[in-house]
Amino acid sequence: MVRTGLKLLLQSRGYGVVGEASNGEAALALVAELQPDLLLLDLAMPGGPDGLQVTAQLRQRGFATPIVVISMYDEEALRQAAIKAGANAFVLKQAPETDLLDAIARSLPTLSSPILTARESEILRWLAEGYGNKDIAGRLNISVKTVETHRAHLFLKLGLQNRADLVRYAISQGFFQPG
Amino acid sequence: MVRTGLKLLLQSRGYGVVGEASNGEAALALVAELQPDLLLLDLAMPGGPDGLQVTAQLRQRGFATPIVVISMYDEEALRQAAIKAGANAFVLKQAPETDLLDAIARSLPTLSSPILTARESEILRWLAEGYGNKDIAGRLNISVKTVETHRAHLFLKLGLQNRADLVRYAISQGFFQPG
DNA sequence: TTGTAACTCCGGGATTTCCCCGAAGGTGAC
DNA sequence: GTCACCTTCGGGGAAATCCCGGAGTTACAA
C-alpha cells in the first residue's frame, strides 16, 4: 500500500518504477536483476536483512546504484549508520515529499527526460487539457498548421502515438491531476 | 511524504482528498471543519492523541464519519481496539493497496458514478487508451458508426467534451495508470 | 398483450479536424 | 559559410465529428 503510494508519487514526477520488493532478500535480488538507476530503501523491513544491511551488502558486492534510505525514526545515529553503509541520502518518512524528491534528484545527477522547447511544452499542456488544434492556434495566434507541427514534434520526441498518450504523459509529468 | 503518496493513490482511483493532518489534534480539528465523507487514520502518530484516541474522540463527539484505520502492526488486539473505538475498517500498511481501496469502498456505500453499459465501458477503455474509432470497430467487429454512437453516449452520460477528458476520467476511475 | 424504454447495432451526408508530407525564414554555434 | 534547431506555414488525404435517421433485441410495466 505504502509502496504503491510512493510509486504513484514518483511516477507523477516522471520517474519510472521498474521493481518493488517487500523485504531485504527480494530487494537484493531485484537490484542485481534489474540494475535500476536508483534504489529507494526503507530502513525497517519485515524479517531478513534490514535497510542498513541491504545497503552494506550491495556496496560489498560492488553495486554503485545510488541508494536513498527512508526512515521512520529521526535519529542521528541511524542517519550516520546509513551513510556509512553506503547510502547516498537519508530521508525521514515524516518529511514532506519534496525532501524525498530532492534527495532523489541529488542522487540522480545524469538522468534526463526528453527536452522540449518552450513552445512544445506550452502546446503539450493545451493538447493534454483536451483543446483542439484550432483552439490552441487561436489562443497562441498562430496557424493550425504550426500547432500540428509542434504536436508532431512532441510525438517524435516523446515516442508517443496519439493524444491519449499525450494526456497520460502530461499527467505522469505532474502537469496536472487526472480527476 | 507517505501522505502524499496515499493521496496520489486515492486520487488515481477517483477519490478527492479534502484535507491532511500530521497529528491527532489537527485531525480532530480538520474533521470537524471539513466534514469529510471518510477519514483515513494512521494508528501511530507523533505526539498528542493516537489513532485510537482520535477515533474514540470523534465517536464521542457524535461524528458518524466512516473511519478507516491503518496500522503498521498486525496484531489482533489492535484491530479489535480500533473497531471497538468506532473504526469501520482496519488495514495493514504492509497489505496490498487493494485492501485499502476495498476497505474504503466498503465504508463508502453510497457514492455512485454515472452508470455505463458494458459496451460503453469497453469502448471507453479503448478510446482512453488512444485507439481510433476504426481500430476499435475492427477489434470489436462492429462498424465505425456504432463506435461513434457509443462514444457520443459516453460524452453525454459523463458530461465530457473530448477524448482528453475521457482519458482523465478513465484514469480517475482506475481503468489504468497514467504512466 | 401491448407499449415503452434501453441497449446495441448501422447508414447517409456535411463538416471539421487530424495527420503526413515538404518547406522557408530566423537564430546561434562551430 | 554551414549546420542544426526552432518556429512558422501550406497541400492533400485520412479520419473523426456532428447532424440526422432506423432496426432488432431484451426487459419491464401497464
Side-chain angles (χ1 to χ4, degrees):
Chain A
M1 183 173 94
V2 174
R3 279 203 311 275
T4 303
L6 280 176
K7 191 166 152 185
L8 284 170
L9 170 59
L10 294 174
Q11 287 176 339
S12 79
R13 303 312 169 97
Y15 297 112
V17 177
V18 296
E20 296 178 51
S22 58
N23 59 63
E25 292 285 359
L28 283 169
L30 263 187
V31 168
E33 180 189 344
L34 300 175
Q35 308 258 348
D37 296 316
L38 183 136
L39 172 63
L40 202 57
L41 198 57
D42 194 334
L43 272 192
M45 282 186 293
D50 63 17
L52 281 182
Q53 292 170 304
V54 170
T55 303
Q57 271 288 317
L58 286 173
R59 294 299 180 240
Q60 283 173 24
R61 297 183 190 177
F63 287 96
T65 313
I67 299 177
V68 174
V69 160
I70 305 174
S71 168
M72 196 166 42
Y73 305 103
D74 184 10
E75 295 174 14
E76 188 55 27
L78 275 180
R79 172 185 298 271
Q80 290 182 2
I83 300 298
K84 190 177 175 187
N88 298 64
F90 180 93
V91 185
L92 289 176
K93 279 192 183 178
Q94 299 82 7
E97 72 271 18
T98 50
D99 282 22
L100 174 64
L101 294 170
D102 288 349
I104 291 176
R106 282 200 311 274
S107 307
L108 274 178
T110 54
L111 280 193
S112 65
S113 48
I115 298 154
L116 303 181
T117 69
R119 207 52 157 172
E120 285 162 354
S121 299
E122 195 174 5
I123 287 179
L124 166 59
R125 285 172 190 270
W126 293 114
L127 285 174
E129 295 261 8
Y131 291 92
N133 294 350
K134 192 180 178 184
D135 301 319
I136 300 173
R139 275 174 193 274
L140 302 181
N141 276 314
I142 57 181
S143 86
V144 173
K145 291 300 184 179
T146 305
V147 176
E148 291 172 1
T149 299
H150 291 306
R151 178 205 50 84
H153 289 168
L154 284 169
F155 283 177
L156 266 183
K157 284 190 177 178
L158 303 176
L160 305 180
Q161 308 301 323
N162 52 58
R163 282 160 190 257
D165 292 337
L166 223 49
V167 176
R168 286 195 292 275
Y169 177 83
I171 291 176
S172 75
Q173 294 302 305
F175 277 44
F176 47 71
Q177 299 303 320
Chain B
M1 180 172 96
V2 175
R3 278 204 310 276
T4 302
L6 281 177
K7 190 166 150 185
L8 284 169
L9 169 58
L10 293 174
Q11 288 177 338
S12 79
R13 302 312 168 98
Y15 297 111
V17 177
V18 296
E20 297 178 51
S22 58
N23 60 65
E25 293 284 1
L28 282 169
L30 263 187
V31 168
E33 180 190 345
L34 300 175
Q35 308 261 345
D37 296 317
L38 183 136
L39 172 62
L40 203 57
L41 198 57
D42 195 332
L43 272 192
M45 282 186 291
D50 63 17
L52 281 182
Q53 292 171 304
V54 169
T55 302
Q57 272 288 315
L58 285 173
R59 294 298 180 239
Q60 283 172 23
R61 296 182 190 179
F63 287 96
T65 313
I67 300 177
V68 173
V69 160
I70 306 175
S71 168
M72 196 165 42
Y73 305 102
D74 184 10
E75 296 174 14
E76 188 55 29
L78 275 179
R79 171 185 297 270
Q80 291 181 3
I83 301 299
K84 189 178 175 188
N88 299 64
F90 181 93
V91 185
L92 290 176
K93 279 191 182 177
Q94 299 81 6
E97 72 272 18
T98 50
D99 283 21
L100 173 66
L101 295 169
D102 288 349
I104 291 175
R106 281 199 312 273
S107 306
L108 275 177
T110 54
L111 286 190
S112 69
S113 49
I115 299 154
L116 302 182
T117 69
R119 207 52 157 171
E120 285 163 356
S121 299
E122 194 174 5
I123 288 181
L124 166 59
R125 285 172 191 270
W126 292 115
L127 285 173
E129 294 256 11
Y131 291 92
N133 295 350
K134 194 178 177 184
D135 301 319
I136 301 173
R139 273 175 195 274
L140 303 181
N141 276 314
I142 57 181
S143 86
V144 173
K145 289 294 188 180
T146 303
V147 176
E148 291 172 4
T149 299
H150 291 305
R151 179 203 53 87
H153 290 167
L154 283 168
F155 283 176
L156 266 183
K157 284 189 177 179
L158 303 176
L160 305 179
Q161 255 70 48
N162 52 58
R163 279 161 191 255
D165 291 336
L166 225 46
V167 176
R168 284 194 294 275
Y169 177 82
I171 290 175
S172 75
Q173 295 302 307
F175 277 46
F176 48 70
Q177 301 303 321

